[in-house]
Amino acid sequence: MTAKEYLQQIYVCNRRMKRIQETREQLRIDMYSIGSPMGNMSSDRVQTSTSGDKFGRMIARVDKLERDLVKEHGRMLALKDKIIRQIEAMDNEQQRSVLYNRYVLLHDWETIAEDMNYTTRRIYQIHGEALLEFRKKYFSVFQ
């Protein structure tokens, strides 16, 4: 794993959480479009549909997704905290700023350049230097 890949884990966790949330919301929409499993049953008819089972499976799936979301959120917070501490421990302020803005705040290069009053090209240079220094400082993390 490279230093860049290591730092990008926050972004990857955010994307994974977003996918879980979107899936959960779609299942909820699907679940409510089914309607109540008992809603259309008449006391005079025998119900042979398995829509109740489908409804129950959907509820179980939503519940699992919510548990996955909580677990992923906890993992992301722990990882984010670790990466922030590692970035903050770097010696060079410019490098700290670039890494923090890019990998923690998820800012684009132009925003970082504007905030730091540098050209985008200079931000790329600082970023490259910062990745090298980060790797040197935390070499054991990448083993």
Side-chain angles (χ1 to χ4, degrees), residues 21-136:
Q21 287 171 332
E22 288 170 351
T23 303
R24 179 189 65 187
E25 289 309 310
Q26 187 58 51
L27 276 172
R28 282 184 174 166
I29 289 168
D30 293 348
M31 189 170 62
Y32 291 121
S33 71
I34 292 173
S36 170
M38 301 298 279
N40 294 330
M41 291 179 64
S42 166
S43 60
D44 296 337
R45 292 188 322 181
V46 174
Q47 182 72 19
T48 58
S49 169
T50 60
S51 67
D53 292 334
K54 185 176 182 183
F55 195 73
R57 284 191 308 271
M58 289 180 116
I59 290 172
R61 178 77 173 126
V62 169
D63 181 61
K64 183 189 180 319
L65 286 170
E66 287 176 353
R67 284 184 274 120
D68 290 350
L69 197 55
V70 168
K71 186 181 352 176
E72 191 64 32
H73 189 257
R75 181 181 173 285
M76 187 193 70
L77 289 177
L79 178 65
K80 194 173 190 176
D81 182 56
K82 179 181 179 182
I83 289 173
I84 288 170
R85 282 186 277 115
Q86 290 170 326
I87 290 172
E88 291 299 325
M90 293 188 64
D91 298 326
N92 183 296
E93 174 57 33
Q94 291 176 329
Q95 293 174 358
R96 269 196 314 263
S97 279
V98 170
L99 293 181
Y100 188 86
N101 280 290
R102 183 66 180 174
Y103 297 105
V104 177
L105 300 179
L106 306 174
H107 289 168
D108 60 46
W109 297 116
E110 292 76 19
T111 302
I112 297 169
E114 186 178 312
D115 289 349
M116 293 180 69
N117 291 319
Y118 287 115
T119 64
T120 305
R121 181 181 168 102
R122 180 66 184 130
I123 293 299
Y124 292 151
Q125 290 170 341
I126 295 169
H127 177 255
E129 295 163 3
L131 290 176
L132 290 173
E133 288 301 313
F134 191 89
R135 181 164 180 83
K136 276 188 220 175

